Protein backbone atom coordinates (compact mmCIF):
# COMPACT_ATOMS: atom_id res chain seq x y z
CA UNK A 1 0.00 0.00 0.00
CA UNK A 2 1.24 3.49 -0.85
CA UNK A 3 2.68 5.73 1.84
CA UNK A 4 0.89 8.90 2.87
CA UNK A 5 2.19 12.21 4.21
CA UNK A 6 0.11 14.52 6.38
CA UNK A 7 0.95 17.67 8.32
CA UNK A 8 1.30 16.86 12.02
CA UNK A 9 -1.14 19.53 13.19
CA UNK A 10 -3.63 22.15 12.02
CA UNK A 11 -5.94 24.70 13.59
CA UNK A 12 -9.38 25.72 12.42
CA UNK A 13 -11.89 28.27 13.68
CA UNK A 14 -15.24 26.92 14.78
CA UNK A 15 -17.84 27.24 12.03
CA UNK A 16 -15.25 27.49 9.29
CA UNK A 17 -14.31 24.76 6.83
CA UNK A 18 -11.41 22.54 7.85
CA UNK A 19 -9.30 21.39 4.92
CA UNK A 20 -6.95 18.53 5.75
CA UNK A 21 -4.38 17.65 3.08
CA UNK A 22 -2.79 14.30 2.34
CA UNK A 23 -0.04 13.45 -0.13
CA UNK A 24 0.10 9.97 -1.65
CA UNK A 25 2.37 10.44 -4.64
CA UNK A 26 3.07 6.70 -5.10
CA UNK A 27 -0.57 5.67 -5.20
CA UNK A 28 -1.41 3.01 -7.76
CA UNK A 29 -4.48 2.74 -9.92
CA UNK A 30 -6.41 0.29 -7.75
CA UNK A 31 -5.73 1.97 -4.42
CA UNK A 32 -8.45 3.82 -2.60
CA UNK A 33 -7.99 6.75 -0.24
CA UNK A 34 -9.58 6.30 3.19
CA UNK A 35 -9.98 8.81 6.00
CA UNK A 36 -10.48 8.05 9.65
CA UNK A 37 -10.50 10.18 12.74
CA UNK A 38 -9.80 9.45 16.37
CA UNK A 39 -11.30 11.61 19.05
CA UNK A 40 -9.29 11.54 22.25
CA UNK A 41 -9.28 8.12 23.92
CA UNK A 42 -11.93 6.70 21.57
CA UNK A 43 -11.56 4.10 18.82
CA UNK A 44 -10.88 5.40 15.31
CA UNK A 45 -13.97 6.24 13.27
CA UNK A 46 -14.31 5.74 9.53
CA UNK A 47 -15.17 8.99 7.71
CA UNK A 48 -15.08 8.52 3.96
CA UNK A 49 -13.21 6.88 1.11
CA UNK A 50 -12.80 7.37 -2.63
CA UNK A 51 -10.93 6.21 -5.73
CA UNK A 52 -10.97 8.97 -8.35
CA UNK A 53 -14.11 11.04 -8.05
CA UNK A 54 -14.88 13.47 -5.31
CA UNK A 55 -17.06 11.98 -2.61
CA UNK A 56 -19.41 13.49 -0.06
CA UNK A 57 -21.32 12.06 2.85
CA UNK A 58 -22.99 13.39 5.96
CA UNK A 59 -19.65 13.86 7.71
CA UNK A 60 -17.28 15.25 5.11
CA UNK A 61 -16.20 15.70 1.52
CA UNK A 62 -13.18 14.10 -0.11
CA UNK A 63 -11.47 15.87 -2.99
CA UNK A 64 -8.92 13.79 -4.94
CA UNK A 65 -6.69 15.51 -7.49
CA UNK A 66 -6.88 14.41 -11.09
CA UNK A 67 -3.46 12.72 -10.91
CA UNK A 68 -4.55 11.12 -7.60
CA UNK A 69 -1.28 12.07 -5.94
CA UNK A 70 -2.98 14.07 -3.23
CA UNK A 71 -6.34 14.53 -1.60
CA UNK A 72 -8.12 16.86 0.81
CA UNK A 73 -10.66 16.02 3.45
CA UNK A 74 -13.10 18.86 3.99
CA UNK A 75 -15.20 19.31 7.12
CA UNK A 76 -17.55 22.03 5.89
CA UNK A 77 -18.50 23.62 9.20
CA UNK A 78 -16.08 22.50 11.88
CA UNK A 79 -17.30 22.26 15.46
CA UNK A 80 -15.39 21.78 18.69
CA UNK A 81 -16.40 18.11 18.56
CA UNK A 82 -14.36 17.72 15.35
CA UNK A 83 -11.14 18.19 17.32
CA UNK A 84 -9.36 14.87 16.70
CA UNK A 85 -6.48 13.13 14.97
CA UNK A 86 -7.29 12.55 11.29
CA UNK A 87 -5.67 9.66 9.44
CA UNK A 88 -5.30 9.37 5.67
CA UNK A 89 -4.76 5.80 4.48
CA UNK A 90 -4.26 4.37 1.01
CA UNK A 91 -5.35 0.81 0.43
CA UNK A 92 -6.22 -1.64 -2.29
CA UNK A 93 -9.93 -2.49 -2.34
CA UNK A 94 -9.90 -6.19 -3.05
CA UNK A 95 -11.52 -9.28 -1.60
CA UNK A 96 -8.17 -11.06 -1.88
CA UNK A 97 -6.22 -8.40 0.01
CA UNK A 98 -5.72 -9.67 3.52
CA UNK A 99 -2.83 -7.40 4.44
CA UNK A 100 -2.86 -4.97 7.29
CA UNK A 101 -4.29 -1.49 7.36
CA UNK A 102 -1.51 0.93 8.27
CA UNK A 103 -2.33 3.96 10.38
CA UNK A 104 0.36 6.62 10.27
CA UNK A 105 0.73 9.54 12.67
CA UNK A 106 -2.13 11.54 11.19
CA UNK A 107 -2.97 15.24 11.54
CA UNK A 108 -4.12 16.62 14.87
CA UNK A 109 -6.91 19.08 14.10
CA UNK A 110 -7.66 21.60 16.80
CA UNK A 111 -10.94 23.45 16.32
CA UNK A 112 -10.90 26.71 18.25
CA UNK A 113 -13.85 28.81 19.41
CA UNK B 1 -27.18 -3.09 17.17
CA UNK B 2 -24.19 -2.68 19.51
CA UNK B 3 -21.41 -2.76 16.88
CA UNK B 4 -18.02 -3.79 18.31
CA UNK B 5 -18.00 -4.35 22.06
CA UNK B 6 -14.80 -4.59 24.09
CA UNK B 7 -14.49 -5.62 27.70
CA UNK B 8 -13.12 -4.66 30.12
CA UNK B 9 -12.60 -0.90 29.58
CA UNK B 10 -9.79 -0.74 32.14
CA UNK B 11 -7.52 -3.41 33.60
CA UNK B 12 -4.48 -3.43 35.86
CA UNK B 13 -2.31 -6.53 35.92
CA UNK B 14 0.83 -7.57 37.71
CA UNK B 15 3.78 -8.81 35.70
CA UNK B 16 3.32 -12.49 34.87
CA UNK B 17 -0.44 -12.55 35.23
CA UNK B 18 -2.62 -13.73 32.38
CA UNK B 19 -5.85 -12.31 31.10
CA UNK B 20 -8.16 -12.22 28.10
CA UNK B 21 -9.44 -9.10 26.43
CA UNK B 22 -12.86 -9.75 24.98
CA UNK B 23 -14.15 -8.50 21.65
CA UNK B 24 -17.56 -9.20 20.15
CA UNK B 25 -19.34 -7.83 17.11
CA UNK B 26 -22.96 -8.25 16.09
CA UNK B 27 -22.65 -7.18 12.45
CA UNK B 28 -21.81 -10.61 11.01
CA UNK B 29 -18.42 -9.29 9.94
CA UNK B 30 -15.91 -11.78 8.54
CA UNK B 31 -12.81 -9.77 9.37
CA UNK B 32 -11.69 -8.95 12.90
CA UNK B 33 -8.45 -7.55 14.22
CA UNK B 34 -6.63 -6.32 17.29
CA UNK B 35 -4.52 -3.15 17.42
CA UNK B 36 -2.50 -1.62 20.19
CA UNK B 37 -1.89 2.11 20.47
CA UNK B 38 1.06 3.60 22.30
CA UNK B 39 2.01 7.29 22.54
CA UNK B 40 4.00 8.34 19.48
CA UNK B 41 3.66 4.91 17.87
CA UNK B 42 0.25 5.10 16.24
CA UNK B 43 -1.90 2.02 15.86
CA UNK B 44 -0.08 -1.28 15.34
CA UNK B 45 -1.75 -4.50 14.26
CA UNK B 46 -1.32 -7.44 16.65
CA UNK B 47 -3.38 -10.27 15.13
CA UNK B 48 -6.19 -10.54 12.68
CA UNK B 49 -8.75 -13.05 11.43
CA UNK B 50 -10.42 -13.31 8.03
CA UNK B 51 -13.08 -15.73 9.28
CA UNK B 52 -13.98 -18.27 11.93
CA UNK B 53 -11.12 -20.72 12.44
CA UNK B 54 -8.57 -18.53 10.61
CA UNK B 55 -6.11 -16.23 12.34
CA UNK B 56 -2.82 -14.64 11.36
CA UNK B 57 -0.12 -12.44 12.85
CA UNK B 58 0.16 -8.72 12.40
CA UNK B 59 3.10 -6.39 13.07
CA UNK B 60 3.54 -7.04 16.79
CA UNK B 61 2.19 -10.52 17.68
CA UNK B 62 4.71 -11.59 20.32
CA UNK B 63 3.21 -12.16 23.75
CA UNK B 64 -0.35 -12.41 22.45
CA UNK B 65 -2.56 -15.32 21.37
CA UNK B 66 -5.86 -15.26 19.55
CA UNK B 67 -8.49 -17.71 18.39
CA UNK B 68 -11.68 -17.32 16.37
CA UNK B 69 -14.13 -20.09 17.15
CA UNK B 70 -17.20 -18.06 16.13
CA UNK B 71 -17.84 -15.23 13.71
CA UNK B 72 -18.87 -12.93 16.55
CA UNK B 73 -15.98 -13.27 19.00
CA UNK B 74 -12.25 -12.61 18.76
CA UNK B 75 -10.57 -12.71 22.18
CA UNK B 76 -6.99 -11.57 22.74
CA UNK B 77 -5.00 -13.49 25.36
CA UNK B 78 -1.98 -12.29 27.27
CA UNK B 79 -0.37 -15.43 28.69
CA UNK B 80 2.23 -13.74 30.89
CA UNK B 81 1.79 -9.98 31.04
CA UNK B 82 4.83 -7.72 30.81
CA UNK B 83 5.14 -3.96 31.47
CA UNK B 84 5.85 -3.49 27.72
CA UNK B 85 2.27 -4.58 27.09
CA UNK B 86 0.90 -1.52 28.87
CA UNK B 87 -1.14 0.08 26.12
CA UNK B 88 -4.60 0.85 24.82
CA UNK B 89 -6.03 -2.06 22.86
CA UNK B 90 -8.61 -1.69 20.11
CA UNK B 91 -10.60 -4.39 18.41
CA UNK B 92 -11.92 -3.70 14.91
CA UNK B 93 -14.03 -5.51 12.37
CA UNK B 94 -15.12 -5.17 8.77
CA UNK B 95 -17.51 -6.97 6.48
CA UNK B 96 -14.68 -8.76 4.73
CA UNK B 97 -10.90 -8.77 4.53
CA UNK B 98 -11.03 -6.91 1.24
CA UNK B 99 -13.12 -4.23 2.88
CA UNK B 100 -10.60 -3.66 5.66
CA UNK B 101 -10.56 -0.03 4.69
CA UNK B 102 -13.95 0.40 6.31
CA UNK B 103 -13.20 -0.81 9.81
CA UNK B 104 -15.50 -0.47 12.78
CA UNK B 105 -13.62 -0.03 16.04
CA UNK B 106 -14.53 -0.78 19.61
CA UNK B 107 -14.08 1.78 22.38
CA UNK B 108 -10.83 0.27 23.60
CA UNK B 109 -9.34 -1.41 26.66
CA UNK B 110 -6.76 0.50 28.66
CA UNK B 111 -4.31 -2.01 30.13
CA UNK B 112 -1.63 -1.28 32.70
CA UNK B 113 0.94 -3.92 33.64
CA UNK B 114 2.84 -3.17 36.82
Amino acid sequence: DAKTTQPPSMDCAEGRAANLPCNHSTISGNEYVYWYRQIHSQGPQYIIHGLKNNETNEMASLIITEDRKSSTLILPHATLRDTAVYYCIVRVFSSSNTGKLIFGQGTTLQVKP
Amino acid sequence: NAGVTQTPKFQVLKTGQSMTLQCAQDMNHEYMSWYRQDPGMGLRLIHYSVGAGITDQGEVPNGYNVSRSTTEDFPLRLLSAAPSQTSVYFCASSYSAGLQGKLFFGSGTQLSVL
Side-chain angles (χ1 to χ4, degrees):
Chain A
D1 296 329
K3 184 181 164 100
T4 62
T5 303
Q6 299 177 254
S9 64
M10 293 181 62
D11 290 341
C12 177
E14 188 177 20
R16 303 297 293 268
N19 296 284
L20 293 95
C22 179
N23 283 325
H24 29 79
S25 58
T26 61
I27 193 169
S28 59
N30 61 349
E31 288 183 309
Y32 283 67
V33 180
Y34 292 86
W35 283 85
Y36 279 77
R37 73 179 181 183
Q38 186 173 23
I39 297 170
H40 179 63
S41 79
Q42 297 181 20
Q45 177 189 24
Y46 164 85
I47 301 173
I48 198 168
H49 75 277
L51 181 63
K52 298 180 187 177
N53 300 322
N54 299 338
E55 302 288 343
T56 296
N57 63 20
E58 66 279 3
M59 290 181 68
S61 294
L62 174 60
I63 308 297
I64 303 174
T65 58
E66 193 168 340
D67 63 7
R68 302 210 322 122
K69 293 186 177 182
S70 66
S71 59
T72 301
L73 179 75
I74 300 172
L75 308 178
H77 305 286
T79 71
L80 298 178
R81 286 175 294 182
D82 291 322
T83 291
V85 178
Y86 287 78
Y87 298 98
C88 170
I89 302 165
V90 171
R91 175 144 182 82
V92 173
F93 191 102
S94 165
S95 61
S96 62
N97 187 354
T98 58
K100 51 185 178 285
L101 194 67
I102 305 292
F103 285 80
Q105 297 300 311
T107 296
T108 299
L109 175 69
Q110 181 74 47
V111 180
K112 299 187 173 181
Chain B
N1 191 335
V4 179
T5 303
Q6 289 184 239
T7 55
K9 291 192 182 302
F10 302 95
Q11 183 71 49
V12 179
L13 292 177
K14 294 181 180 178
T15 296
Q17 286 185 315
S18 63
M19 81 158 295
T20 300
L21 307 186
Q22 301 291 345
C23 176
Q25 52 89 12
D26 61 0
M27 298 174 283
N28 200 30
H29 283 174
E30 285 186 352
Y31 179 89
M32 297 186 73
S33 56
W34 278 100
Y35 286 85
R36 60 177 287 174
Q37 187 170 34
D38 305 295
M41 298 293 291
L43 284 148
R44 292 183 292 169
L45 183 66
I46 304 172
H47 284 286
Y48 65 95
S49 169
V50 299
I54 305 168
T55 63
D56 207 344
Q57 297 181 348
E59 299 173 83
V60 288
N62 292 340
Y64 307 95
N65 281 351
V66 292
S67 60
R68 184 97 178 269
S69 56
T70 66
T71 298
E72 295 78 19
D73 300 299
F74 191 45
L76 179 72
R77 298 184 185 86
L78 285 70
L79 297 179
S80 179
S84 60
Q85 293 179 305
T86 293
S87 188
V88 180
Y89 291 84
F90 291 102
C91 179
S93 72
S94 68
Y95 182 72
S96 70
L99 292 172
Q100 273 184 62
K102 193 169 182 180
L103 283 170
F104 293 81
F105 280 83
S107 56
T109 295
Q110 189 167 323
L111 176 67
S112 294
V113 182
L114 307 177

